[in-house]
Every structure is written in structure tokens, then in C-alpha cells.
């Protein structure tokens, strides 16, 4: 939006229509927003995009971070940009996953292709930045391939009683991801000495065996992105929601305040003690609001509470599968978005080409 210092401001109700999504008791208002540059020309307000204003308002604020999840606020962008970033986290940040399986022996009840599919979905803890993309026509090399061996045979435990559970009655009755053995190629053992390559979760069950059944195979991991196959996606989910903005249009006190606090399942409201003046309800934790609208079902509260979401303030959540830390997923996603923008700028600078299709 334009940020000229001499530009008049919009009236509050019109500004809310542009910048907020309002949730009523039975419907949602202003869901589409107002992006047309001349929408407020009659009020003397320029609604066109202003790059300087965008730079001033764009912010990323870290909310929480651990080895599995990263939560941050993305402020000052519209939904198309936020959604582009979300899709990049899901589908365009590369990882390593099992792509080719050479099965030498499989006498289990599971078909070769089903077993191969299950192997491909195992998250592999390996830094994809240390590998190149493998070309199909080229032979595997240590720079583009990780090799795993799997060799398991189920046998009977002669010392176990006949009524013992299968886990005690048989040895190697369950084949899990932990049975995959990494076979370092050339210098890979030294290269990944501090963080050996292995499945993220060794307890993932692949197949169950019974005495006499065995599996022997070699699996090759390659670099890829989630756009080609979901097994390469580094996230279990990447999502966002708009920041809730809850306004109490007039004080809600006494028993009505207690009633309001009890209505909210997410504990958004709390009671403020005013001493001799009694108690009143306050919005204590607006970020927890899921917009279930329980608090405005009753007409009394519907007239006194405004539920809205700020259109340019996104609460982002990245949940990693464990292949990469969420902070690395975020960094690589930003790099991928910048590369896309650079490619667009190069094409615009070159102008139309004969082989371009629109």
C-alpha cells in the first residue's frame, strides 16, 4: 500500500474492510479484501503497491523453535506470498530418500513393490546440501547416492515356550527401519563422521517375518524434492493462519464476564480484578483463538465482541519430519523463493523469446 506522508487516512470502518477478515455469528465478511489501486480514489487515498512501504512493514518474528517445530510470525505480506512460501517448504526443499531398491531375496508375505514403497517413505537423516542431484543416465557415485543394506532372516527361539508372544517366540520377526545398515562409499564415512547417516526413526515397522522367511536387498538414496514425490518432503506439515484480533466494544463485567470466560474452550479470555469496581473480562491470549465463535453465539455477546483476523499477519508453523531441522527448512525455503524471483527478473530483462509460451 502507498505510504505517502501527505496521503489522507481511510476511515476506520473502511480500513478494517481492507485489512481485516471479520467473523460474524453466521458468516465471514471481507474475505476477499480490496487490492485494486484505485479503490479509494474518491477519498484521496492511493491503494497501489508501494515497494518502500513493503520494505518498512515486512517483518519475521520468531515465536518458538525446537528440533521438531518452528513457529514464526510473517508480517506485512498478502496471502499469495505466504502461500507460495508454504508450498516451497512442502514441495521444493530437497531431501534424501530411497529411490531404487535391488531385491535379492524376499520370501515374506509382502510383495516386492509394496516393500520398496514402504522403504521409500522412511525419513533418512542426511544433509541434502552435501549431495548432488543424480542424473538417471549416470551410474551412482558417492556424491549423489547413499547405499543401505538390509539382510534379515527370521528364526525360531528354541528356549521360548510355545505360548510365548511372537516377539519372544521368534528372532527378527519384525523388520524395522533400524535394520537398514548404511554402507559408506569412498570418503562418506569421514565426511559424515559427526552425524552418521541413518533412518530418523529406527522403530518404523516395514514387514513381519516368520521362521524361514528372509529379506535381502540393497537400497539407494537419491536427492529429490516433494514436487516429484511426497517422500522427499522435509515437513510433516507446513501451515499458517491469520493472527486473531479480538475487540471488546464495551466492558463486560460481573457474572457476564465469568460466563464469557467459561464459554471459550481455548482460554482466550480472563478476568481482571478491579477491586471495589468488581471484575471485567479481558482478552488475555488472542493468539490461541481458533475462531470457533462460541463466544458470540449469544446475541448479548455478539453485540459486544468483534472477532477478526489481520489480513497481513500470518502465524506460520513448520513441523519437520526429522530429516532437517526446521530452521534449515526455513532457510532453504527462503533461498528457493529468492531463486524463483531471480529467474523471473532475468526473463523480464531478456524480454519475449521465440520459444516462450504464455
Amino acid at each position: 500500500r502507498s505510504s505517502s506522508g501527505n496521503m489522507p487516512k481511510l476511515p476506520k470502518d473502511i480500513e478494517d474492510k481492507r485489512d481485516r477478515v471479520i467473523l460474524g455469528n453466521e458468516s465471514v465478511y471481507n474475505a476477499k479484501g480490496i487490492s485494486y489501486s484505485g479503490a479509494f480514489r474518491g477519498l484521496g487515498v492511493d491503494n497501489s503497491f508501494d515497494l518502500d512501504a513493503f520494505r518498512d512493514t515486512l517483518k519475521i518474528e520468531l515465536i518458538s523453535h525446537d528440533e521438531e517445530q518452528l513457529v514464526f510470525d510473517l508480517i506485512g505480506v498478502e496471502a499469495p506470498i505466504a502461500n507460495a512460501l508454504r508450498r516451497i517448504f512442502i514441495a521444493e526443499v530437497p531431501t534424501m530418500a530411497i529411490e531404487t531398491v535391488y531385491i535379492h531375496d524376499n520370501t515374506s508375505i509382502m510383495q516386492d513393490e509394496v516393500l520398496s514403497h514402504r522403504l521409500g517413505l522412511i525419513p533418512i537423516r542426511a544433509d541434502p546440501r552435501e549431495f548432488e542431484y543424480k542424473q538417471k543416465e549416470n551410474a551412482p557415485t558417492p556424491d549423489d547416492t547413499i547405499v543401505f543394506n538390509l539382510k534379515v532372516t527370521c528364526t525360531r527361539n528354541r528356549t521360548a515356550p510355545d505360548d510365548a508372544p511372537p516377539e519372544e517366540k521368534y528372532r527378527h520377526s519384525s523388520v524395522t527401519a533400524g535394520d537398514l545398515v548404511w554402507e559408506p562409499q569412498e570418503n562418506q564415512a569421514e565426511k559424515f563422521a559427526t552425524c552418521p547417516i541413518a533412518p530418523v526413526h529406527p522403530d518404523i515397522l516395514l514387514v513381519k517375518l516368520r521362521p524361514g522367511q528372509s529379506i535381502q536387498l540393497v537400497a539407494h538414496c537419491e536427492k529429490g524434492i516433494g514436487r516429484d514425490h511426497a517422500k522427499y518432503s522435509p515437513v510433516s506439515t507446513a501451515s499458517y493462519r491469520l493472527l486473531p484480533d479480538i475487540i471488546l466494544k464495551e466492558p463486560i463485567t460481573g457474572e457476564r464476564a465469568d460466563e464469557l470466560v467459561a464459554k471459550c474452550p481455548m482460554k482466550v479470555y480472563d478476568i481482571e480484578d478491579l477491586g471495589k469496581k468488581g471484575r471485567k473480562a479481558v482478552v488475555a491470549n488472542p493468539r490461541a483463538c481458533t475462531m470457533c465463535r462460541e463466544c458470540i453465539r449469544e446475541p448479548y455477546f455478539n453485540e459486544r465482541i468483534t472477532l477478526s483476523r489481520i489480513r497481513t499477519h500470518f502465524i506460520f508453523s513448520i513441523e519437520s519430519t526429522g530429516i532437517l531441522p526446521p530452521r534449515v527448512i526455513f532457510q532453504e525455503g527462503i533461498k528457493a523463493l529468492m531463486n524463483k524471483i531471480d529467474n523471473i527478473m532475468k526473463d523480464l530483462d531478456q524480454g519475449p523469446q521465440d520459444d516462450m509460451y504464455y
Side-chain angles (χ1 to χ4, degrees):
R1 302 290 185 267
S2 180
S3 61
S4 174
N6 298 324
M7 189 71 66
K9 292 185 176 181
L10 289 172
K12 183 66 168 61
D13 58 335
I14 297 179
E15 185 177 18
D16 285 346
K17 288 183 179 180
R18 183 187 69 176
D19 298 338
R20 281 169 169 72
V21 179
I22 308 297
L23 284 87
N25 200 359
E26 298 179 352
S27 184
V28 178
Y29 306 97
N30 309 332
K32 295 179 64 175
I34 303 172
S35 57
Y36 172 51
S37 60
F40 310 115
R41 188 173 298 159
L43 299 173
V45 176
D46 183 7
N47 196 48
S48 59
F49 176 79
D50 188 316
L51 183 58
D52 291 333
F54 176 76
R55 287 171 176 160
D56 293 339
T57 57
L58 177 63
K59 295 179 182 178
I60 296 177
E61 297 179 355
L62 180 65
I63 304 302
S64 64
H65 174 221
D66 55 36
E67 290 303 311
E68 295 182 353
Q69 185 178 28
L70 173 68
V71 179
F72 63 92
D73 283 5
L74 180 61
I75 306 169
V77 301
E78 300 278 350
I81 300 298
N83 195 48
L85 196 56
R86 180 189 69 86
R87 291 173 65 92
I88 287 173
F89 291 148
I90 293 172
E92 300 199 38
V93 174
T95 64
M96 303 297 290
I98 293 175
E99 174 66 15
T100 306
V101 180
Y102 301 93
I103 298 179
H104 303 293
D105 184 22
N106 177 20
T107 55
S108 71
I109 63 171
M110 184 172 289
Q111 299 93 333
D112 291 353
E113 57 270 26
V114 178
L115 177 60
S116 299
H117 183 264
R118 291 177 68 85
L119 286 165
L121 295 176
I122 296 174
I124 304 297
R125 184 181 286 111
D127 192 341
R129 295 170 294 182
E130 301 293 336
F131 293 89
E132 304 293 335
Y133 286 99
K134 182 182 178 300
Q135 303 302 319
K136 289 186 177 181
E137 63 274 11
N138 295 341
T141 69
D143 294 327
D144 58 32
T145 303
I146 300 170
V147 178
F148 283 99
N149 281 333
L150 177 62
K151 186 176 182 180
V152 179
T153 299
C154 180
T155 58
R156 187 180 299 273
N157 183 4
R158 301 296 181 183
T159 61
D162 293 339
D163 58 349
E167 292 76 12
E168 298 178 10
K169 195 174 182 179
Y170 311 119
R171 293 188 177 95
H172 300 113
S173 62
S174 296
V175 182
T176 64
D179 292 316
L180 287 168
V181 179
W182 173 44
E183 296 290 339
Q185 306 298 304
E186 296 185 8
N187 66 337
Q188 286 184 347
E190 299 175 2
K191 191 174 183 180
F192 300 100
T194 58
C195 186
I197 296 172
V200 174
H201 305 289
D203 58 345
I204 296 176
L205 180 64
L206 295 175
V207 63
K208 291 192 174 184
L209 302 179
R210 287 299 178 262
Q213 295 179 341
S214 63
I215 294 177
Q216 183 178 355
L217 58 83
V218 177
H220 286 191
C221 293
E222 298 176 9
K223 186 175 180 178
I225 57 176
R227 186 175 61 188
D228 297 330
H229 195 289
K231 66 184 178 183
Y232 290 113
S233 180
V235 299
S236 54
T237 183
S239 61
Y240 61 76
R241 60 189 179 97
L242 295 175
L243 178 71
D245 185 27
I246 305 170
I247 299 173
L248 302 181
K249 292 183 281 189
E250 60 181 75
I252 300 175
T253 60
E255 293 182 358
R256 283 293 193 178
D258 295 330
E259 185 180 347
L260 176 61
V261 172
K263 279 180 177 291
C264 181
M266 303 306 296
K267 310 300 181 185
V268 170
Y269 303 98
D270 202 354
I271 298 296
E272 181 182 351
D273 189 356
L274 301 177
K276 294 181 180 180
K277 295 182 180 180
R279 308 183 318 279
K280 74 172 183 179
V282 294
V283 181
N285 188 18
R287 295 179 71 93
C289 182
T290 61
M291 296 294 165
C292 67
R293 292 180 276 194
E294 281 299 318
C295 60
I296 60 172
R297 300 294 183 196
E298 187 179 332
Y300 175 86
F301 293 112
N302 190 33
E303 295 171 358
R304 291 165 174 78
I305 299 174
T306 298
L307 298 181
S308 66
R309 290 186 182 273
I310 301 176
R311 196 185 304 279
T312 57
H313 192 139
F314 297 86
I315 303 173
F316 239 104
S317 175
I318 301 175
E319 296 182 27
S320 173
T321 59
I323 298 174
L324 293 171
R327 61 177 178 80
V328 174
I329 297 173
F330 173 79
Q331 293 167 352
E332 294 302 306
I334 294 296
K335 291 177 183 178
L337 179 61
M338 293 175 64
N339 287 336
K340 287 178 176 289
I341 295 172
D342 288 341
N343 291 336
I344 292 174
M345 295 302 296
K346 290 177 182 178
D347 289 341
L348 291 175
D349 291 339
Q350 291 176 0
Q353 305 294 320
D354 293 339
D355 58 348
M356 282 187 174
Y357 295 91
Y358 295 93

